[in-house]
Amino acid sequence: MNIDLERMPESLLVQTYIYYLANVFNTQALFSDGTKFFRDPPEPDAYSSVTIRFRSARENLDEAYLVVDDEKYLMTKFFNDRYFDYYEYTLDLTDRQIHYYFELHYGNIVCYYFTVGLCRRPETNYSFTITPGFHTPDWAKGAVMYQIYTDRFYNGDRSNDVLTDEYYYIGDSTDKVDDWEKYPAQMGVREFYGGDLEGVLQKMDYLQDLGIEVIYFNPLFVSPSNHKYDIQDYDNIDPHFGKIVHDEGELLKRNEDGSIHLDDPSAPNRTATRYIDRVTNKANLDASNELFAKVVEEAHRRGIKVILDGVFNHCGSFNKWLDRERIYENAEGYEKGAFVSKDSPYHTFFKFREDKWPYNYYYDGWWGHDTLPKLNYEDSRALFDYIMHVARKWVSPPYNVDGWRLDVAADLGQSSEYNHYFWQEFRRNVKEANPNAIILAEHYGDPASWLNGDQWDTVMNYDAFMEPVTWFFTGLEKHSDEERPDMYRNTESFVGSMRYGMSKFNTQSLQVAMNELSNHDHSRFLTRTNHKVGRTQSLGPDAANEGVSVPVMRLAVLFQFTWPGAPTVYYGDEAGVCGWTDPDNRRTYPWGHENHELIDFHKQVIRIHKDYQAFRTGSVLFLDEQYGYFAFGRFDMKDKIVVAINMNDHDIQSDIPVWRIGIDNTETMAVLMTTDQEGFSLATKIYNPDKGFLHINMRPYSGVIIKNFDN
């Protein structure tokens, strides 16, 4: 009997559809993705061939079609094993991006498979995508990254420390912090703890022993702030992070009442001659650049890559092109800044609203901040060319940096059209100079329009990692600004958010996405485990340390290092550092006061991550879900690994369908790691799957990694 689906009422249609799926299709067997087995090669070149594969249960489909941009191709069943039939079709590509999905037939039932899984109707927004010629660096796939906020990591050279009263910035003078353990001040942008590149060199053994593969530095270029997102000189590393070999001049003077003496309040740094000498003297700049080249060389010698932070949307009011502080006005070897003179060669680098020279305050700032002048690319080819020079310079000899992280990348320019053009040219310049460099952008929201192979390689993964992870594991928003009890341990919401977020990535971008629990813009993850809403100004810094849960932190880290992407540790997270959002999240690394058990846990989970290629480039599949609990598989043709996490305060009994990742009763599974409220363990426990299911008991707040081993 034929069923007329078109004329059937919607309610009955849904019931019939569910009935037939439950009784005819084994929907849990259906699978495809963009990894090597299911797309070979996974990153095909233009005008090459690619074989696309699909998996179903044995003898469970009549026909499988590959649908490519509205063209439908019958797939061939080419292989089967105990559980699955495998279909394939080989496409000849041009240089044009294609979108595809699968149409599946059994009798009169037709359904569709997309990046989010099985759908009743074509949902083309979730199609798989191939961009011929789009390659992301293999070294970055699943790479273990470590983010360093340099001023707070380690002070290896005290002679380059920013001095108290060295210069004036945003309403007050600089402050040299002598107590390494002091909490950052609420307005801590101008306080300096002395961390530097020599400190990173001295801690290379620690970083290598931890197991990291990439250092991501927050900005290192000359800048008046400790965060350095207000760049003063894109051509040079800040001597306060590098080397000061020429050190003359005076500090700012104070009045009898202790206030800073300002000869000219409109230009307070005209008398900051010590600072001017430190950051404009070519000897200091050259020595600092040479030290940075040494840091990169030493990292490379140890097998560690280096990524720089690029801030190209805006610069700082101290920048030599603007020179609002008049630091460069009389410095040897520098042109007049655009603030100082209308005839400056940098005049077009900024958008001035009025003709008020000399000393023109009427320029556009990013989000209205006059300390962050917006760069005016549309009106300045010279600025565009200069930044492209900067993009090439640092990924080329003698520096040989391995890529760029791009600050507020989607804000650049005055229009979306120009923004895309700029990053296309940026990519071309970077990849021509260093084809193996990565381009990784800070971005919130849907990244798809930027990840078409002509702009960014990937993004800091907020929507498909940090956001859903922090809601599930802590019930807090990533700044600790909001609590959502309905999101805490809400597995359904978590899994849905992860699937949806991942659907916006192509596979090669997902595999290199920066997966962070914490960073310099958000509260420390360990603090979020205390379920407190607050900031340092409202609750005080000590409250960030109270009521935290290291067991929950370990569970989140376990997930981070077993999920697709590049797991990224924010310096000190591995040692138990707490902190509210900016600036409290920028506390110093606690040398001598580390949580050594948490460090050891990181070392072991990093080692496990690096031991198995499936964690870097393998497929991922959610296998089991209950409230507060989930299990997923990571698998390729060699390894099949199950990860289970229980965030409940009670035991969970689970029957995990490991047959879905190809494990049958002939295979033995062994525990690689467990973590729970008591600590973590590498003790081995053997499991023998029963009819394709793994029966396990999960203790409260526990996680486990279990891998197949052939008998």
Side-chain angles (χ1 to χ4, degrees):
M1 179 180 69
N2 291 328
I3 301 174
D4 189 348
L5 298 178
E6 296 299 325
R7 300 181 64 181
M8 186 177 291
E10 178 69 18
S11 59
L12 183 58
L13 177 62
V14 171
Q15 295 177 30
T16 303
Y17 182 78
I18 293 173
Y19 172 82
Y20 270 84
L21 286 183
N23 290 276
V24 177
F25 275 141
N26 183 344
T27 58
Q28 292 192 351
L30 304 175
F31 188 76
S32 186
D33 65 9
T35 62
K36 181 172 176 55
F37 178 78
F38 292 98
R39 183 192 294 166
D40 188 17
E43 300 173 20
D45 291 322
Y47 302 103
S48 67
S49 296
V50 60
T51 298
I52 297 172
R53 299 188 177 105
F54 186 81
R55 189 192 80 180
S56 72
R58 286 284 302 270
E59 305 302 327
N60 205 219
L61 289 179
D62 291 333
E63 294 170 330
Y65 291 91
L66 177 68
V67 184
V68 183
D69 295 332
D70 298 325
E71 293 289 332
K72 190 160 65 173
Y73 305 96
L74 180 64
M75 303 183 76
T76 301
K77 186 191 300 186
F78 72 99
F79 176 70
N80 58 45
D81 56 26
R82 176 173 180 177
Y83 293 121
F84 307 115
D85 288 334
Y86 297 89
Y87 297 81
E88 69 177 14
Y89 188 87
T90 299
L91 282 173
D92 292 325
L93 302 173
T94 65
D95 61 349
R96 182 176 61 87
Q97 184 181 78
I98 66 168
H99 306 277
Y100 69 91
Y101 60 92
F102 303 93
E103 181 178 306
L104 312 173
H105 291 233
Y106 186 92
N108 289 312
I109 298 298
V110 178
C111 57
Y112 306 87
Y113 193 89
F114 290 86
T115 57
V116 292
L118 191 65
C119 298
R120 188 165 67 87
R121 294 189 177 95
E123 302 284 353
T124 54
N125 287 338
Y126 301 117
S127 294
F128 296 89
T129 300
I130 293 177
T131 305
F134 181 20
H135 303 277
T136 58
D138 286 340
W139 63 260
K141 293 179 171 69
V144 180
M145 298 188 181
Y146 191 86
Q147 179 182 350
I148 295 180
Y149 192 92
T150 306
D151 182 61
R152 310 296 161 81
F153 185 61
Y154 187 67
N155 190 343
D157 179 2
R158 297 191 181 276
S159 71
N160 64 8
D161 291 359
V162 174
L163 302 174
T164 296
D165 297 341
E166 186 174 325
Y167 54 95
Y168 196 83
Y169 184 58
I170 311 184
D172 208 343
S173 64
T174 55
D175 182 26
K176 179 180 182 293
V177 178
D178 293 317
D179 179 5
W180 185 255
E181 298 177 14
K182 184 188 88 69
Y183 293 133
Q186 291 183 31
M187 180 53 182
V189 67
R190 53 184 171 261
E191 63 177 6
F192 295 85
Y193 288 71
D196 49 34
L197 291 174
E198 181 60 37
V200 175
L201 269 179
Q202 293 178 22
K203 293 299 182 180
M204 280 287 187
D205 285 347
Y206 169 76
L207 298 174
Q208 185 175 16
D209 185 54
L210 187 62
I212 69 149
E213 298 171 300
V214 184
I215 296 172
Y216 153 45
F217 283 108
N218 284 112
L220 298 176
F221 302 126
V222 181
S223 158
S225 65
N226 55 50
H227 59 69
K228 302 203 178 302
Y229 284 97
D230 47 357
I231 290 174
Q232 183 172 330
D233 182 350
Y234 288 91
D235 281 306
N236 294 290
I237 301 298
D238 196 315
H240 298 95
F241 283 173
K243 278 195 176 297
I244 296 175
V245 296
H246 192 276
D247 199 11
E248 295 182 355
E250 301 295 326
L251 302 176
L252 297 175
K253 292 181 172 52
R254 289 190 175 267
N255 299 314
E256 290 185 2
D257 63 0
S259 62
I260 291 292
H261 177 75
L262 302 177
D263 289 340
D264 181 356
S266 68
N269 287 311
R270 292 277 288 163
T271 58
T273 54
R274 186 78 167 270
Y275 179 72
I276 292 173
D277 184 58
R278 285 181 158 197
V279 300
T280 70
N281 191 298
K282 299 294 187 182
N284 293 332
L285 300 174
D286 290 345
S288 298
N289 288 356
E290 289 170 9
L291 177 61
F292 177 67
K294 180 181 176 182
V295 170
V296 178
E297 181 181 13
E298 178 60 22
H300 286 173
R301 188 181 70 80
R302 297 168 181 260
I304 298 172
K305 307 287 187 182
V306 176
I307 295 174
L308 278 179
D309 210 324
V311 189
F312 302 123
N313 167 69
H314 57 271
C315 61
S317 58
F318 279 58
N319 190 280
K320 64 184 180 183
W321 300 332
L322 184 70
D323 197 22
R324 173 169 168 165
E325 299 297 317
R326 298 167 63 187
I327 287 168
Y328 298 92
E329 187 174 10
N330 297 311
E332 184 179 349
Y334 294 91
E335 302 276 4
K336 299 294 185 186
F339 170 84
V340 174
S341 172
K342 187 175 183 178
D343 296 326
S344 168
Y346 312 121
H347 173 82
T348 60
F349 288 25
F350 309 94
K351 186 177 285 294
F352 290 92
R353 299 185 300 278
E354 295 188 26
D355 189 350
K356 296 286 187 179
W357 282 275
Y359 315 131
N360 191 339
Y361 292 89
Y362 298 94
Y363 56 85
D364 284 351
W366 182 56
W367 285 74
H369 297 292
D370 62 0
T371 58
L372 301 174
K374 177 84 171 171
L375 291 171
N376 183 33
Y377 292 100
E378 282 92 337
D379 297 328
S380 181
R381 183 68 193 192
L383 170 62
F384 175 89
D385 290 341
Y386 204 125
I387 292 297
M388 294 304 147
H389 150 76
V390 170
R392 294 189 303 270
K393 171 180 176 176
W394 295 101
V395 299
S396 302
Y399 308 108
N400 298 309
V401 164
D402 301 288
W404 288 99
R405 178 268 187 188
L406 308 173
D407 186 59
V408 293
D411 285 10
L412 185 139
Q414 308 296 334
S415 68
S416 176
E417 293 77 15
Y418 185 85
N419 199 336
H420 285 289
Y421 164 75
F422 178 93
W423 294 122
Q424 288 166 355
E425 289 298 296
F426 185 90
R427 181 184 185 87
R428 181 180 63 80
N429 277 271
V430 169
K431 297 291 185 175
E432 285 178 359
N434 184 346
N436 219 23
I438 192 169
I439 299 172
L440 188 159
E442 176 189 27
H443 186 68
Y444 299 85
D446 186 349
S449 66
W450 311 94
L451 302 180
N452 290 316
D454 60 345
Q455 296 169 76
W456 311 335
D457 285 319
T458 192
V459 296
M460 301 175 76
N461 195 0
Y462 289 116
D463 286 44
F465 190 81
M466 184 188 278
E467 290 270 13
V469 167
T470 192
W471 285 123
F472 177 82
F473 284 95
T474 74
L476 287 184
E477 182 267 343
K478 59 186 180 297
H479 288 282
S480 295
D481 281 346
E482 179 188 6
E483 184 179 18
R484 287 282 303 276
D486 60 311
M487 300 287 280
Y488 179 47
R489 300 188 288 202
N490 186 331
T491 307
E492 181 180 8
S493 176
F494 170 70
V495 171
S497 295
M498 295 295 285
R499 282 179 172 151
Y500 177 80
M502 291 168 66
S503 74
K504 303 302 180 181
F505 288 80
N506 48 63
T507 302
Q508 62 265 49
S509 292
L510 183 67
Q511 290 171 343
V512 300
M514 185 182 279
N515 289 347
E516 298 177 293
L517 298 174
S518 315
N519 63 25
H520 62 289
D521 284 328
H522 306 96
S523 59
R524 293 275 183 168
F525 186 87
L526 186 54
T527 286
R528 273 175 255 152
T529 66
N530 66 12
H531 309 296
K532 293 182 181 179
V533 173
R535 295 197 174 202
T536 191
Q537 58 266 43
S538 60
L539 297 183
D542 284 321
N545 312 328
E546 298 167 354
V548 300
S549 174
V550 172
V552 171
M553 176 81 179
R554 285 198 301 267
L555 287 178
V557 172
L558 183 77
F559 177 73
Q560 179 187 30
F561 279 87
T562 53
W563 193 253
T568 304
V569 179
Y570 184 43
Y571 79 101
D573 265 14
E574 79 279 17
V577 173
C578 295
W580 302 112
T581 198
D582 172 21
D584 198 42
N585 54 16
R586 301 167 184 182
R587 297 180 183 185
T588 53
Y589 186 99
W591 301 109
H593 304 283
E594 305 94 326
N595 182 327
H596 288 286
E597 183 185 29
L598 192 55
I599 291 175
D600 289 342
F601 173 77
H602 275 81
K603 288 180 181 179
Q604 294 302 329
V605 78
I606 288 171
R607 176 188 58 79
I608 291 171
H609 171 88
K610 292 163 66 175
D611 278 349
Y612 302 104
Q613 187 65 28
F615 286 133
R616 296 185 188 267
T617 57
S619 298
V620 62
L621 190 60
F622 279 106
L623 299 174
D624 193 24
E625 302 166 28
Q626 300 179 41
Y627 181 82
Y629 160 84
F630 61 89
F632 62 94
R634 297 300 310 278
F635 58 102
D636 57 21
M637 295 304 292
K638 179 182 179 183
D639 297 314
K640 302 174 181 64
I641 305 169
V642 171
V643 180
I645 291 176
N646 180 22
M647 268 292 296
N648 291 293
D649 57 4
H650 55 81
D651 286 10
I652 287 286
Q653 303 292 327
S654 178
D655 297 324
I656 302 174
V658 294
W659 65 266
R660 296 182 65 200
I661 60 172
I663 293 176
D664 61 31
N665 294 342
T666 67
E667 293 181 278
T668 298
M669 302 194 73
V671 170
L672 300 179
M673 170 182 275
T674 56
T675 177
D676 57 25
Q677 291 172 294
E678 306 301 319
F680 76 95
S681 172
L682 302 177
T684 299
K685 180 178 180 180
I686 302 300
Y687 286 94
N688 293 301
D690 177 22
K691 298 179 181 178
F693 286 83
L694 179 65
H695 308 295
I696 63 172
N697 177 65
M698 297 291 296
R699 298 179 64 188
Y701 301 105
S702 68
V704 62
I705 306 173
I706 309 174
K707 184 188 177 300
N708 68 311
F709 288 95
D710 294 333
N711 289 329

